[in-house]
């Protein structure tokens, strides 16, 4: 049994990870910002300090985790209010992450698992699945802040001996999913015609249950120390295939219009939404051979099982 501290334990991925860790017999503490936010079997630690600025002084004397899994982050914000979003992302995802890891090391934590993002590397595969050795070229403030967090942690690990493990997932889906994936499900549910029938580029995703399983391995397997892993489902569907699969599981027709990808890109340029269109229809396959080779990891759920569970949850709310 390991003692594991999970930040962001009340989030989409955090809840799935905590439930799995508890089920596997691990002692789990969730670091959250509000009371009564963790799931059954998880000890709760409330820390409201901004970017972990007071976490060191507030660390409970009885808390002695073997590993920290750091999920808490500043993510994409649709209605950005920060005067300097670049600085705001960096303050949380890089500076706050380093502050937490430094505190954890001082308190005797052996391993720190940082849940980064494939966006720390790239937004497009350029025809070749993206491996861990791909030269990092993040394209937005979020991706740049995650890469900065990775780099700061590696320096800390090299200097201190703290075992740093980095996990880079692509789009995460599953029950309770939000943001663009939820909007896509809403459109399929309402029967909205989608101009995505001609989108044939493949994009990797990861089911939240698969990601939770991989993160548990990152936290507990000795072979994971000082490694960086890309974590994704083995299946990378096209957007059109994803819409058809969601429609099937939701019991709705897939209303796909065969609009050529070139037309969609042209529309993106005209409307100033080129980046969003490119992310929607561009290819981004993730190479997961490293985690399979090093840890022997195999995803416990197929993509179809993950989509089925996600659709079951969505139907239960409508």
């Amino acid at each position: 049994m390991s003692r594991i501290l999970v930040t962001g334990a009340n989030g989409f991925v955090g809840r799935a990870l905590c439930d799995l860790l508890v089920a596997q017999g691990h002692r789990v503490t969730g670091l959250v910002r509000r009371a009564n936010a963790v799931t059954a079997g998880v000890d709760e630690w409330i820390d409201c300090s901004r970017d972990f600025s007071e976490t060191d002084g507030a660390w409970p004397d009885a808390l002695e985790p073997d590993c920290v899994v750091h999920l808490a982050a500043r993510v994409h914000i649709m209605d950005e209010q920060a005067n300097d979003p670049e600085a705001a992302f960096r303050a949380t995802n890089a500076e706050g992450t380093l502050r937490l890891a430094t505190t954890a090391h001082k308190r005797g934590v052996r391993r720190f698992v940082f849940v980064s993002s494939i966006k720390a590397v790239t937004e497009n595969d350029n025809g070749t699945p993206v491996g861990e050795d791909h030269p990092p070229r993040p394209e937005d403030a979020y991706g740049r802040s995650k890469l900065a967090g990775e780099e700061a942690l590696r320096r800390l690990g090299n200097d201190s001996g703290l075992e740093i493990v980095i996990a880079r997932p692509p789009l995460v889906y599953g029950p309770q999913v939000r943001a663009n994936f939820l909007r896509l499900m809403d459109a399929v549910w309402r029967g909205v015609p989608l101009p995505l029938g001609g989108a044939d580029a493949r994009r990797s995703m990861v089911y939240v249950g698969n990601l939770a399983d991989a993160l548990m391995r990152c936290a507990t397997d000795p072979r994971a120390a000082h490694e960086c892993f890309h974590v994704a489902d083995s299946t990378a569907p096209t957007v059109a295939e994803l819409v058809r699969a969601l429609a099937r599981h939701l019991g709705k027709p897939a209303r796909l219009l065969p609009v050529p990808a070139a037309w969609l890109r042209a529309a993106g340029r005209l409307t100033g939404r080129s980046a969003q269109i490119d992310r929607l229809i561009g290819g981004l396959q993730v190479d997961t051979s490293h985690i399979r080779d090093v840890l022997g990891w195999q995803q416990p759920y197929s993509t179809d099982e993950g989509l089925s569970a996600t659709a079951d949850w969505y139907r239960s709310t409508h």
Side-chain angles (χ1 to χ4, degrees):
M1 179 188 77
S2 295
R3 297 163 298 177
I4 302 175
L5 173 65
V6 179
T7 73
N10 58 330
F12 171 44
V13 179
R15 284 177 174 269
L17 175 59
C18 287
D19 287 346
L20 178 61
L21 290 170
V22 169
Q24 294 297 314
H26 299 289
R27 177 73 180 271
V28 184
T29 300
L31 177 58
V32 293
R33 296 178 63 85
R34 58 183 174 82
N36 303 315
V38 299
T39 56
V42 177
D43 297 328
E44 186 174 75
W45 173 21
I46 302 169
D47 178 10
C48 298
S49 64
R50 187 178 183 86
D51 300 329
F52 305 100
S53 58
E54 300 174 15
T55 302
D56 188 6
W59 192 284
D61 291 336
L63 181 62
E64 299 178 338
D66 304 301
C67 175
V68 173
V69 180
H70 184 38
L71 281 159
R74 189 178 201 265
V75 298
H76 294 283
I77 299 173
M78 297 300 293
D79 185 21
E80 181 63 74
Q81 299 294 320
N83 293 329
D84 187 348
E86 191 88 25
F89 276 110
R90 190 178 184 92
T92 299
N93 298 342
E95 296 161 11
T97 294
L98 179 59
R99 191 176 296 120
L100 174 66
T102 302
T103 296
H105 174 63
K106 187 170 77 171
R107 298 288 177 157
V109 172
R110 173 178 51 84
R111 178 173 294 185
F112 191 93
V113 179
F114 179 47
V115 185
S116 183
S117 169
I118 198 64
K119 288 177 174 289
V121 183
T122 188
E123 300 275 5
N124 194 293
D125 61 22
N126 292 315
T128 303
V130 178
E132 289 81 357
D133 59 351
H134 190 285
R137 298 187 183 91
E139 297 181 13
D140 62 10
Y142 171 75
R144 288 187 289 272
S145 69
K146 283 292 191 178
L147 179 61
E150 292 182 14
E151 293 170 342
L153 288 174
R154 287 195 182 97
R155 290 191 294 269
L156 175 64
N158 290 337
D159 293 342
S160 68
L162 178 65
E163 294 178 0
I164 301 298
V165 186
I166 294 168
R168 293 176 180 154
L171 172 71
V172 186
Y173 69 98
Q176 310 295 328
V177 70
R178 293 292 183 262
N180 289 336
F181 200 96
L182 179 59
R183 283 191 282 274
L184 180 62
M185 295 181 74
D186 286 338
V188 173
W189 182 259
R190 298 196 310 268
V192 176
L194 299 170
L196 301 172
D200 57 1
R202 298 192 174 276
R203 295 188 69 86
S204 291
M205 312 182 300
V206 61
Y207 176 54
V208 67
N210 292 334
L211 178 56
D213 186 80
L215 292 177
M216 180 177 67
R217 294 288 298 276
C218 288
T220 60
D221 194 318
R223 296 171 295 179
H226 308 294
E227 293 284 357
C228 176
F229 298 117
H230 289 181
V231 184
D233 293 354
S234 59
T235 302
T238 67
V239 176
E241 289 172 347
L242 175 60
V243 170
R244 293 188 186 99
L246 285 173
R248 173 167 51 85
H249 287 299
L250 290 171
K252 299 289 184 177
R255 302 187 184 279
L256 287 165
L257 304 178
V259 178
W263 291 14
L264 293 175
R265 288 192 172 93
R269 289 191 294 270
L270 290 172
T271 59
R273 300 177 65 85
S274 290
Q276 294 91 326
I277 295 296
D278 288 344
R279 283 195 287 268
L280 181 64
I281 65 175
L284 183 53
Q285 294 190 71
V286 173
D287 181 356
T288 60
S289 59
H290 188 55
I291 191 171
R292 289 186 276 111
D293 291 344
V294 173
L295 303 185
W297 182 72
Q298 297 292 330
Q299 65 184 63
Y301 304 97
S302 69
T303 298
D304 196 63
E305 289 171 330
L307 292 175
S308 177
T310 308
D312 287 346
W313 161 78
Y314 185 92
R315 286 200 310 270
S316 73
T317 65
H318 289 73

